[in-house]
Amino acid sequence: MLMGCSDADDTAGPLDGVIYCSEGDPISFNPQLDTSGTTSDASSHQIYDRLINFDPLSGQIVPGLASSWLVSKDGLTYTFQLRRGVKFHQTPYFSPNRTFNADDVIFSIDRWRLPDHPYHEVSGGQYPYFSSLGLSNVIADVKRINGYRVELTLKQPDSSFLANLATDFAAILSAEYAQQLTQAEQQNRIDMFPIGTGPFKFEKYKKARFIRYLKHDNYWQHDLAVERLIFDITPSSSQRLAKLMTGECDAIAFPAHTELDTIRERADLKLDEKPGLNVGFWAFNTSKPPFDNPKVRRALAMAIDKNTLIEGIYLGSAVNAKGLLPESSWAYQADLNDVNYNPVMARQLLLESGIEDGFTMNIWAMPVERAYNPNARKMAELMQNYLNQVGIQVNIISYEWTAFRERLKDGLHDSVLIGWSADNGDPDNFYRPLLTCSAIESGTNRAMWCSPEYDALIDQALTYTEIEQRNHYYRLANKLIADEVPLVPIAHAYRYRAHRQNLEGLLINPFGAIRFGDVQKQ
Amino acid sequence: MMLAHVIRKFNLLILTLLVLSILSFMLVYLFPGDPLVNLTGLEDIDQETYQRLTVLHGFDKSYFHQYWYYIRGLFDGEWGLSFSSGLPLANEIAQTLPASIELSAYALILSLLIGVPLGFVAGFQHHKTTDYGLLTASVVAYSMPIFWLSLILILVFSLQLGWLPLSGRISLLFDIPHHTGFILIDIFFSDLSYKGAAAKSAFYHLIMPTASLTIVTAAIIFRLTRRSVIEVMSSTYVQAAYTRGLSGFQVVMRHGVRNALVPIIPLFGMQFAVLLTNAMIVEVVFSWPGIGSWLIQAINQRDYPAIRAGMLAVSTLVIMLTVATDLLAKLINPAQMGTAHAES
Amino acid sequence: MPNLDLYQEEFHPSPLVHTWLEFRKSHIAVLGLWLLAFFIVLVILGPLIAPFDPLLQNPNAFLVQPAWDASGSIRYLFGTDSLGRDLLSRLIYGCRMTLGISLLLVVISMLIGIALGAIAGMTRGVRSSVLNHLLDSLMAVPTLLIAIVIVGILGIGLVNSMWAICLALVPQVVHNTREVVRAEMQKEYVLASKLDGAKKFHLFFYCVLPNMYEMLVVQGTMALSIAILDISALGFLGLGAQPPSPELGVMLSEGLREAYKSPWLIALPGSAIFLMVLAVNVVGDGLRSALRNRLQN
């Protein structure tokens, strides 16, 4: 013990660090390659920066590595002014000889954009987020104006484009490092021994055990990062909680619903909850009669009491959903009217539509747990009860998850309990994949609903960049959804994180992965 | 006479290791999948590399050749790669095996320090209350499933009282460079500035796993010692010593201790094997990065090269230890030629 | 208390009865026997006693506390688990599985072991000698390790783990059988039978085997306690029985998830395993003492 106290600069020493209990292994340290939250958590905000970021509190887009940007009047050209003096990581395997500049931006984007880029196929060649949005087709060109200015040209205007550049996946890598690796013929090290500009630099990774990060002393934004950041990989949620309780971890990922009370009861732990950017809903197969009749759909929506569902299934960790968007989205409409529980009216509407007593329908329930619906089966059973009271018999159907999604795509269902988690804060990320005509083919439009009017509204919204103008169209879309009821939004589930009381600055980022950059321990 | 015995044991050891290695080689074929993939741990091999590897490992020749190359590879340190991590198996085992040995060694030493003296006490107090008391305690201790015992220790000391950590070998904040794999030694010989804090952390992490193992093993060692002491004390030459007028203490020192201990030393060796196996379970419960949790994870993930290498490593270690303690016992007392039975 | 020896002339207890009388002298041993009998009754009558199906999930009754807690109900005597399955029923079926399977494995391994041991004990020659030595070194390896190795090769699952433990128990039985057989073969009464012209087979069944019963019983109890611990260990590690099976080791590992709110989920299955093993060990201890005392008198 005396040995440890002899050095004066040792008091912070080994104890200055934060340990985070994460739920699994990342597949690599490049968030471009994967959409899984585990990979993003491990890399995106720790090792890298992006051109622009989402402010975790307001959801607005704020400058990152780009200090400012301009969008041309026709919405086709985006010019980014890059920050000067941003240093890359200095590690035993790489020493930067220059600061961040336009070449790095171009490299990072072209790597996934151009199939014949020398680094495109490295580590598998899959860039799932960008390809699902077809961004390589949206971007026409990326041009270097000078060392600190980059110009991106689009083929058509897309006002969600900036939001996509602010997601976790749009990390900026080091072109100089890539070059060095090419010369040494070790290209696949770029994603396992990463170099970025973020608050932490990669030190060591032991699969299924830990990831070690060290403070990046020359981080451009601030000097708040702790000396050491460690991800303690612990797949079992009860073990994560146990480690949190003993203090072996300072923060944990994904506490289970059953553990929330235990955390709340303890004074030395803090539970962070925030409505997540997700929505759980009940979708009707509008291509199948009688669910093609909006009156019938409205009646069914009125027949169930959403509050009981939220209490019984989400155990209180969700908030009633009136529309597609949760409160954290800037396009959230607070004054949206909700469908009220009204079994009498429901019965009446059903009779008017020619639905007799004893009509049978099925509800497909997901077999897996998801944040937006932790127990679809149980929910279906509760709904079965309500629907019985208005004279409707319900069969509950479920399959193994992959088979389930396949069959949904074929439109074999009458209705389904499922949901959606968004990847970025842009409302288009909800409206487009869930209810547009083209989404029927890609399988995300579970209601099989195709309304040219709706599609037009959504496309229109993208052509404007002003929030107010876009909001106008989203409100019209909301009204359309409320009138037609292709789906019944049920709940926006909370996202949880737990940490020890003495950890400051750890915010839940509804728009992305975990950030430890400015987290401090008292 | 003694030398002949040693040679015989040595031959036996070689024979057993040979059988083990043959079995381990056979696993390459017994596991599902391509044998060459199982051997090397490389997946997605292209045609050219496949051909090269076939020649390299003698797969184009007879089984005998293949086995020979396999053995040569083992001695060269070429153990293949793990399916799940892609890292060389020799490295992974070199890092995890010492962790298990360290845990087992501390537990064994503690168990001997507790079990043997108590065994003597109980043996001398045969049929008296002390004996019954200790005997009951020992039955309770070794009837406990060790995974349950560990869980209870965690529930009480980690979660309720908050005194001890429940996972790992040391707080992750410390990064101890790997030299021997024995963490206390590595800390001592490293040139880090915070050795004291690190040693403290390692010590705290060692307490519960070692305690679990010690409770069960000490009980067994206690019983073995006690039984041996009782037999010796009731044997004719001891009775004769009493009639000759030797005091209790003299009897104990001259005849009791040595004659009681010697037959059971080989059994202690066997206990190390049991200890190592229990350590594997304890490692899983406490997330101790030893070969036990590594091997069990490999089995769950169907990492065939890892399973093969891990099993060979553990079995070899166990058998060598058993033979070593056997020889040790013979060395101490060449007169004792019969084998003791594991009766207690 | 009258000395039994006084009545030796009129009362010749057979070895079995004599052993039982010696056994009865130890109160603890008798208690252990009662406990063991209780568990065996559970094994046989289990399905009749259990109030619920152990696999039946009740989504309206997750994590109900046991009956003695304020929020519990008599319906679920020991409460329910996270899927609403009654803990009492699962415990009963779990004991049934763990003890029942262990008994089965012990019987099978003893049969195999005795057969092999008898052959090994009665034959001579280099081949048998080598085999014997190999088996001896195998005996040094703990059963759980052998079982893990076999499961590693065959794959995870209840049936594989059963084979694994069964095979792992055999070497010990073979060794002990062989020793006893060899020792008996040296004895004079066997020599006498041989001179009478008895064949090896006859020798074994009529001369040697009757003298082996004690060793077998002792061996059996030891093997049983090892089997119970190994089966539940493999279940706990996820290498043997799989969820949703109510095997006690599996229940223990499943119960970890809710151990804070409902410590019963790990306290009860663990206690069940402990009590079973304790009962077997106490009975085994009692038997060994009884046999030793009988031989001394």
Side-chain angles (χ1 to χ4, degrees), chain B:
Chain B
M1 191 61 188
M2 182 64 198
L3 193 63
H5 190 86
V6 170
I7 292 178
R8 225 185 86 211
K9 272 286 160 164
F10 198 65
N11 285 340
L12 185 62
L13 176 67
I14 299 292
L15 183 65
T16 316
L17 289 178
L18 195 70
V19 170
L20 269 179
S21 64
I22 294 178
L23 282 172
S24 148
F25 171 69
M26 274 166 55
L27 284 179
V28 168
Y29 285 95
L30 285 176
F31 282 139
D34 182 272
L36 202 55
V37 171
N38 284 341
L39 181 65
T40 54
L42 293 164
E43 299 174 288
D44 297 328
I45 319 177
D46 53 54
Q47 262 305 97
E48 195 192 308
T49 323
Y50 193 85
Q51 286 294 44
R52 190 168 52 84
L53 288 172
T54 310
V55 175
L56 191 66
H57 292 284
F59 270 57
D60 48 351
K61 307 205 186 77
S62 72
Y63 285 135
F64 183 74
H65 275 100
Q66 294 169 24
Y67 172 68
W68 178 245
Y69 287 154
Y70 176 67
I71 294 290
R72 252 198 1 216
L74 286 181
F75 280 104
D76 279 338
E78 258 297 315
W79 293 26
L81 303 176
S82 154
F83 277 169
S84 15
S85 71
L87 294 172
L89 287 169
N91 287 8
E92 301 226 341
I93 294 182
Q95 289 190 332
T96 50
L97 195 55
S100 302
I101 295 178
E102 188 179 19
L103 186 58
S104 314
Y106 294 150
L108 184 65
I109 295 172
L110 268 181
S111 306
L112 286 173
L113 285 176
I114 298 177
V116 169
L118 284 180
F120 273 102
V121 167
F124 291 141
Q125 302 282 322
H126 191 39
H127 290 312
K128 304 213 187 77
T129 349
T130 329
D131 183 29
Y132 280 130
L134 285 173
L135 192 62
T136 314
S138 76
V139 172
V140 169
Y142 90 87
S143 300
M144 284 214 167
I146 197 159
F147 44 94
W148 190 58
L149 179 59
S150 307
L151 285 176
I152 293 188
L153 286 179
I154 290 181
L155 270 180
V156 172
F157 291 102
S158 280
L159 297 175
Q160 283 278 40
L161 296 171
W163 289 349
L164 297 170
L166 58 87
S167 89
R169 264 174 118 186
I170 193 173
S171 166
L172 281 175
L173 288 174
F174 299 104
D175 190 11
I176 312 291
H178 173 95
H179 284 298
T180 60
F182 294 95
I183 202 163
L184 292 181
I185 299 178
D186 283 347
I187 292 178
F188 185 68
F189 284 112
S190 73
D191 49 0
L192 298 163
S193 50
Y194 42 78
K195 276 196 241 187
K200 186 174 170 199
S201 175
F203 179 70
Y204 270 77
H205 279 84
L206 264 172
I207 294 180
M208 281 201 299
T210 312
S212 288
L213 284 172
T214 305
I215 291 176
V216 171
T217 314
I220 300 176
I221 289 183
F222 161 79
R223 293 169 67 86
L224 289 176
T225 313
R226 173 184 170 272
R227 177 49 43 194
S228 184
V229 167
I230 292 175
E231 273 179 13
V232 163
M233 292 310 282
S234 60
S235 66
T236 43
Y237 60 89
V238 166
Q239 303 288 356
Y242 273 119
T243 56
R244 269 191 277 134
L246 291 170
S247 76
F249 183 69
Q250 284 173 313
V251 174
V252 165
M253 290 323 284
R254 258 191 238 180
H255 300 288
V257 175
R258 189 153 176 264
N259 290 312
L261 276 183
V262 166
I264 50 178
I265 289 182
L267 295 175
F268 288 165
M270 256 170 69
Q271 284 314 309
F272 193 68
V274 174
L275 194 55
L276 207 56
T277 307
N278 281 340
M280 288 169 72
I281 302 178
V282 165
E283 282 171 23
V284 171
V285 178
F286 287 100
S287 304
W288 188 268
I291 199 154
S293 64
W294 182 78
L295 185 59
I296 289 170
Q297 208 171 44
I299 295 178
N300 267 312
Q301 292 173 349
R302 284 171 252 270
D303 187 342
Y304 301 127
I307 299 176
R308 194 190 76 237
M311 293 191 328
L312 187 60
V314 175
S315 328
T316 309
L317 182 67
V318 164
I319 295 210
M320 291 208 311
L321 275 167
T322 316
V323 172
T325 35
D326 213 31
L327 280 175
L328 191 68
K330 292 297 187 292
L331 256 151
I332 294 179
N333 190 7
Q336 187 91 19
M337 290 311 261
T339 42
H341 292 285
E343 247 192 68
S344 53

Side-chain angles (χ1 to χ4, degrees), chain A residues 438-457:
Chain A
S438 49
I440 298 182
E441 234 195 81
S442 70
T444 46
N445 183 344
R446 309 294 182 188
M448 320 289 277
W449 189 60
C450 186
S451 156
E453 197 188 331
Y454 177 80
D455 274 23
L457 288 172

Side-chain angles (χ1 to χ4, degrees), chain A residues 396-416:
Chain A
I396 302 175
I397 299 188
S398 191
Y399 297 100
E400 178 269 322
W401 184 227
T402 326
F404 187 83
R405 282 180 297 169
E406 294 284 310
R407 281 164 214 226
L408 275 185
K409 245 182 166 165
D410 294 336
L412 300 173
H413 54 288
D414 287 345
S415 69
V416 62

